Amino acid sequence: MKVEESGRFSVNMPPERVVELIAKPEVVAKLIPGVGKIEKAGDEYIGEAQVKLGHLSGKMTARFRYEAVRSDGVVVVGRATGLQTTADFRIEVSVKPSGSGSDVYWKFAGEARGLAASLAPGIVKSALKKMAEDAAINLAQFLSQ
């Protein structure tokens, strides 16, 4: 089951500063709903998230890495496992100058498989979409402070 979400928001911050902040995994981890601390493991980062999928709730472990960090954005790829489900994801954030600030464009693509994804695909799809949307809202709020 695949999920794709995207959006855009504006902030009063130069593009270089936006990229500088989103290139820090400890900042990004705070923005993702349910994620606690993260640790570096080689070229990857590992974190745990408390997840609720309908009546099912528990922890999922996410491993991710920065596939690209450019002056105009970042690309993060990873995999989350837990609750007898695996979800691969790709997050792209691009930043463009706009007036005295920046326009931030984000895209989330994820694909889930496993027990929860096969037994309750609608619930898992809704949960992934909500997590992507909430993370984008949290990012916009963080960058607007």
Side-chain angles (χ1 to χ4, degrees):
M1 164 216 349
K2 293 183 182 181
V3 172
E4 291 186 9
E5 289 292 311
S6 63
R8 172 193 157 287
F9 59 87
S10 298
V11 295
N12 190 21
M13 183 181 290
E16 308 80 39
R17 180 71 176 137
V18 173
V19 172
E20 179 185 330
L21 289 170
I22 60 177
K24 294 180 179 180
E26 63 276 7
V27 169
V28 173
K30 293 177 189 175
L31 306 175
I32 301 169
V35 172
K37 69 175 185 159
I38 60 165
E39 297 177 2
K40 187 164 176 44
D43 69 340
E44 290 185 318
Y45 298 90
I46 303 171
E48 271 191 354
Q50 188 64 34
V51 178
K52 184 166 171 76
L53 304 171
H55 299 298
L56 208 71
S57 65
K59 290 184 181 179
M60 291 190 81
T61 300
R63 301 179 76 89
F64 67 93
R65 66 181 172 80
Y66 285 88
E67 184 176 84
V69 177
R70 304 177 308 266
S71 62
D72 67 342
V74 302
V75 177
V76 175
V77 295
R79 172 174 284 173
T81 55
L83 302 173
Q84 298 183 25
T85 299
T86 299
D88 293 315
F89 60 88
R90 178 181 183 87
I91 303 165
E92 297 178 44
V93 178
S94 61
V95 186
K96 296 182 179 167
S98 175
S100 63
S102 303
D103 285 337
V104 180
Y105 299 85
W106 62 272
K107 267 199 270 190
F108 170 86
E111 184 171 1
R113 61 195 171 283
L115 185 62
S118 63
L119 292 178
I123 292 172
V124 173
K125 189 171 190 170
S126 292
L128 284 173
K129 288 176 102 170
K130 180 150 179 38
M131 286 179 78
E133 291 166 355
D134 287 351
I137 289 167
N138 292 345
L139 178 59
Q141 290 173 343
F142 176 79
L143 295 174
S144 296
Q145 295 177 359

